[in-house]
Amino acid sequence: MIPWESRAEEMVEKQIRARGVLSESVLEAMRSVPRHLFLPERLRESAWIDSPLPIGEEQTISQPYMVAKMTELLAPEKGDSVLEIGTGSGYQSAVLASMGAKVTSMERIASLAEKASETLSFLGYDVVVLWSDGREKGELAGKFQRVIVTAAAPELEEWWSDVLAPGGRLVSPVSVLSGSERLILREKRAPGVFVDSWHDYCRFVPLLQGRTGGIC
Ligand code: SAH
């Protein structure tokens, strides 16, 4: 069997660098995280293909290129507090944590939040996973240098921009007229002052309302 490190290396070269993601810290993170361990056992062999894959509950782990592209746009620095909306498998959180970010991630489906949290702590990534609806701020406190949304948002929720620290960056897929989504990068220059830019077209599972599963 080919060792996973070689498959990760091949994924980085053929799917990611070849498509123009050149940030060395992102490429290194994509090489170092064992993507296969964020998938159900029967899909682990397929972990490195150029595609999103099912993780249960009708949700998906994003395509490797998309994870890399969003991470490059987000450009987290060591020690940054990063908020993720849409934990899913926990893979994107692991990529960010491996770059030295302090990640808090929100997931609305209880079973996914629990599984992701288990996988992340088993692998030694220090990530706080919250079972909560990321459309609402809830009891979340403090500011974040980076915010990343990994489900298709009809529009940017106001509170995502509010919790960004000045100098912060927000990356999210936002629905556009064609029925797909497009990545938006929002840079916060000062309180209330934003510079937005549009990037790749993409397809994500929808950002839904309310949390589900669990006992309460
Ligand atoms: N980042 C993930 C992939 C995300 S799939 C990974 O690396 O595997 C999108 C996830 O967003 C799904 O798990 C879905 O349940 C979750 N989601 C959708 N709407 C949400 C909301 N309002 N709040 C929190 N999570 C949400």
Side-chain angles (χ1 to χ4, degrees), residues 40-51:
E41 246 175 87
R42 65 188 170 83
L43 289 177
R44 287 188 181 166
E45 261 303 295
S46 311
W48 310 97
I49 67 172
D50 188 14
S51 170

Side-chain angles (χ1 to χ4, degrees), residues 71-146:
T71 306
E72 187 173 63
L73 288 172
L74 196 69
E77 288 174 16
K78 260 201 184 80
D80 276 356
S81 291
V82 179
L83 175 65
E84 181 191 27
I85 316 285
T87 317
S89 66
Y91 177 67
Q92 173 78 70
S93 302
V95 168
L96 296 167
S98 81
M99 295 174 76
K102 290 180 281 173
V103 185
T104 301
S105 186
M106 300 169 96
E107 170 57 55
R108 66 180 284 276
I109 301 177
S111 60
L112 292 181
E114 202 174 315
K115 179 83 187 98
S117 179
E118 249 176 55
T119 310
L120 287 161
S121 56
F122 171 73
L123 293 171
Y125 296 110
D126 192 11
V127 173
V128 177
V129 179
L130 303 174
W131 172 40
S132 51
D133 175 2
R135 293 177 74 152
E136 313 275 340
K137 185 171 178 209
E139 284 165 21
L140 200 70
K143 293 275 187 209
F144 294 85
Q145 277 81 38
R146 302 287 186 265

